[in-house]
Amino acid sequence: MERGENLYKIIIKTAKPGLVIGRSGEGASKLRDEIIAKLKKNNISLPKDVRVEVEEVRTPETHAAIVGEMIAEGLEKRLPFMRVVKQALEKTTSSRDVMGAKITISGRLGGAEMSRVESVKKGRLPLQTLRADIDFAKEKAHLPYGDIGIKVWIYKGEIFADKKKKTQ
């Protein structure tokens, strides 16, 4: 969200912009009207111009939130949990921008009585390094026997690595 004196801009980043925009932009205008209604309901003063922009994410497998949603979709379709997690990890780490990833799922995996935690990791994931560019997201998969929590970490390299190369 970007707020100015006369402008309130909401930027939605999605892997499938066609679903959000809809035919001839009617989905985006409907979404804009719903946002204005919510803001009025909460007694928030509206600026003159409210805009909704939809941006396409070129590589969705490098965004932790989108990977988490893909895993949740697979689990809700009742696919085997370990296969879904490993396939998502392979897709994520196959991108050249990604240097490492970790996916953790917890809950009543496979409908078991006792909940447990499963974790899969591939590549480097320096969680103690402040320079590390790590994208993190949490997601829930809603299943008939309870929710399954999903956590995704994606390591994309060091933040200051480009500046070091320029100075040398």
Side-chain angles (χ1 to χ4, degrees), residues 25-153:
E26 64 189 42
S29 60
K30 195 176 192 182
L31 187 64
R32 180 183 176 277
D33 295 338
E34 287 178 22
I35 290 168
I36 291 171
K38 287 245 188 207
L39 291 173
K40 284 182 180 177
K41 183 180 174 187
N42 293 331
N43 295 327
I44 297 172
S45 61
L46 286 171
K48 292 177 183 173
D49 193 18
V50 177
R51 290 187 194 159
V52 176
E53 291 183 7
V54 180
E55 287 184 8
E56 181 182 8
V57 176
R58 294 280 179 212
T59 53
E61 56 274 347
T62 62
H63 286 50
I66 296 173
V67 172
E69 281 182 31
M70 290 179 351
I71 293 170
E73 271 181 31
L75 294 174
E76 287 170 356
K77 289 179 186 173
R78 305 273 184 97
L79 295 173
F81 68 92
M82 217 43 187
R83 182 186 300 162
V84 171
V85 171
K86 285 183 179 177
Q87 284 177 350
L89 189 70
E90 281 300 317
K91 278 184 186 175
T92 302
T93 54
S94 66
S95 174
R96 16 180 230 132
D97 300 337
V98 176
M99 300 176 84
K102 178 180 170 184
I103 299 172
T104 300
I105 59 172
S106 61
R108 293 182 59 186
L109 303 175
E113 278 294 313
M114 185 79 88
S115 73
R116 64 180 198 267
V117 178
E118 291 285 335
S119 188
V120 182
K121 181 181 170 185
K122 187 172 182 184
R124 287 183 56 220
L125 194 73
L127 295 174
Q128 297 293 314
T129 308
L130 293 174
R131 291 187 314 235
D133 182 15
I134 295 177
D135 190 11
F136 173 76
K138 289 182 187 178
E139 189 66 40
K140 281 184 189 174
H142 304 287
L143 300 169
Y145 45 83
D147 287 356
I148 290 183
I150 303 161
K151 291 181 181 178
V152 181
W153 292 262

